[in-house]
Amino acid sequence: MTDYPKTSRLMQRGTDFLGCESAILCGAMSWVSERNLVSAISNAGGFGVIACGAMTPELLDAEIAATKAMTDRPFGVNLITMHPQLFDLIEVCSRHAVGHVVLAGGIPPKGSVEAIKGGDSPARVICFAPTLALAKKLLRSGADALVIEGMEAGGHIGPVSTSVLAQEILPALAEDHLIFVAGGIGKGQAIAGYLEMGAAGVQLGTRFACATESIAHPDFKKAFFRASARDAIASVQVDPRLPVIPVRALRNKGTETFTAKQIEVAGRLDRGEVEMGEAQLQIEHYWAGALRRAVIDGDVEGGSLMAGQSVGMVREEEPVAQIVATLMAECEEALGRR
């Protein structure tokens, strides 16, 4: 592996924690972050993360086993906190001795962090923190590391930009805790800046979505290559009763369909045809299905093309190893100019 002394020094805490050569995590992208992409990222010196999403324990078991067959390097598993079988999924990770579990989608439910860190094969816990107050709470609750992700990211997003989160959280916590920065990162120069601010590493999703090893449909990848940053827009909440977390995706007919879906569900709620919980679940199910149609089936008009604003920097299909090498070289060059 090429030597990147300045970058490696600043990433040291992150690489020691993850057990890899480059503290570059892959964001867990449903339908995309599976065995092929995850193993390729870990084999390239980064840290791949399986997106469990709505998988059953049996499917996750098979996915972890298949990934382990393709790499002997460390990788993690991303679990959604609202999954009805969360503790069964945690057990699957433990059985496979997965070293790192990422909890996403909300505050970890009671006992989940303890379940991950206990047992015969304890793992390290990584959580997402959208505010400084929540970051402190998660660390007190046992999180070993945090990811702070700004609104520039793809998929479900929060309301604050990456640069603001970094300025707020890194000076307060990075000296004593492991903080990874995510959202809108497409170049090594940005990585250099966050490392200098105290980040232990970074997480990227959009840049890896169109890698050669990604199983995403060719038409899905072509949509990314054609897009600019302004094409990746956040969804609009139509009815305040439906607490829809905004989703950033490329503008298409599917974006318009989601707005119509919210109006339809709100109408059913008004007529008493569905309860609030069911209404919210219907919204989430929409996204799961729409994303699969785009990634797997190649429906780039009606499906959901979840992408971060860094999509404008994705111009061609590249092998994962080349993407990682480019990011590291850009970061090293930027640090050398300081």
Side-chain angles (χ1 to χ4, degrees), residues 2-337:
T2 305
D3 191 28
Y4 306 105
K6 295 181 177 65
T7 303
S8 296
R9 177 177 59 82
L10 292 177
M11 285 185 170
Q12 186 71 54
R13 291 190 306 150
T15 53
D16 287 348
F17 172 74
L18 298 169
C20 57
E21 298 167 1
S22 305
I24 298 176
L25 296 90
C26 180
M29 300 170 284
S30 293
W31 306 109
V32 178
S33 299
E34 48 73 72
R35 64 192 71 174
N36 293 282
L37 183 61
V38 170
S39 61
I41 290 169
S42 291
N43 286 334
F47 192 79
V49 179
I50 293 173
C52 176
M55 286 185 192
T56 62
E58 293 74 22
L59 285 175
L60 179 62
D61 180 75
E63 196 62 40
I64 294 174
T67 305
K68 291 174 74 172
M70 299 174 73
T71 183
D72 58 2
R73 307 274 184 100
F75 62 87
V77 174
N78 179 293
L79 302 179
I80 305 300
T81 57
M82 66 184 74
H83 196 296
Q85 295 177 286
L86 176 61
F87 286 87
D88 293 329
L89 297 170
I90 291 172
E91 173 57 31
V92 170
C93 292
S94 177
R95 193 162 64 245
H96 281 283
V98 171
H100 300 74
V101 174
V102 183
L103 293 177
I107 297 175
K110 185 177 180 180
S112 58
V113 172
E114 292 80 1
I116 294 167
K117 301 181 74 167
D120 296 331
S121 300
R124 291 173 169 178
V125 177
I126 304 173
C127 295
F128 284 83
T131 67
L132 179 57
L134 185 55
K136 292 178 178 179
K137 177 180 174 61
L138 289 168
L139 290 168
R140 289 194 302 269
S141 300
D144 297 295
L146 302 176
V147 176
I148 57 173
E149 183 177 68
M151 66 182 298
E152 301 95 323
H156 289 81
I157 58 173
V160 182
S161 71
T162 304
S163 61
V164 172
L165 284 177
Q167 291 176 77
E168 182 181 18
I169 295 175
L170 290 177
L173 298 178
E175 185 174 348
D176 299 317
H177 302 281
L178 293 161
I179 313 293
F180 296 89
V181 178
I185 300 173
K187 298 283 189 180
Q189 290 85 349
I191 296 175
Y194 291 126
L195 290 176
E196 287 190 316
M197 291 177 69
V202 295
Q203 176 182 287
L204 290 81
T206 301
R207 185 71 191 271
F208 288 119
C210 295
T212 305
E213 296 87 347
S214 165
I215 65 165
H217 195 282
D219 289 342
F220 179 91
K221 294 182 180 182
K222 288 175 185 176
F224 272 48
F225 302 151
R226 292 192 298 264
S228 66
R230 67 175 58 192
D231 293 322
I233 61 172
S235 60
V236 177
Q237 182 179 6
V238 171
D239 192 312
R241 293 173 302 171
L242 298 174
V244 178
I245 299 174
V247 168
R248 188 175 298 284
L250 299 183
R251 188 197 311 268
N252 65 356
K253 289 181 181 177
T255 311
E256 300 169 6
T257 302
F258 176 60
T259 301
K261 179 67 177 178
Q262 289 185 76
I263 295 172
E264 174 205 328
V265 173
R268 297 187 66 198
L269 194 62
D270 287 337
R271 295 188 296 273
E273 296 173 2
V274 292
E275 298 291 333
M276 180 64 73
E278 173 62 23
Q280 295 171 9
L281 199 58
Q282 286 185 20
I283 296 296
E284 284 306 311
H285 282 170
Y286 169 86
W287 281 122
L291 182 59
R292 189 189 190 286
R293 288 198 301 275
V295 173
I296 303 300
D297 302 334
D299 180 3
V300 297
E301 286 301 319
S304 176
L305 298 165
M306 292 189 187
Q309 291 182 320
S310 61
V311 69
M313 303 175 215
V314 179
R315 285 287 166 257
E316 60 183 346
E317 193 175 67
E318 298 176 273
V320 161
Q322 181 59 50
I323 295 172
V324 173
T326 298
L327 292 169
M328 292 293 285
E330 289 171 347
C331 182
E332 187 71 13
E333 181 186 9
L335 293 172
R337 294 197 301 267

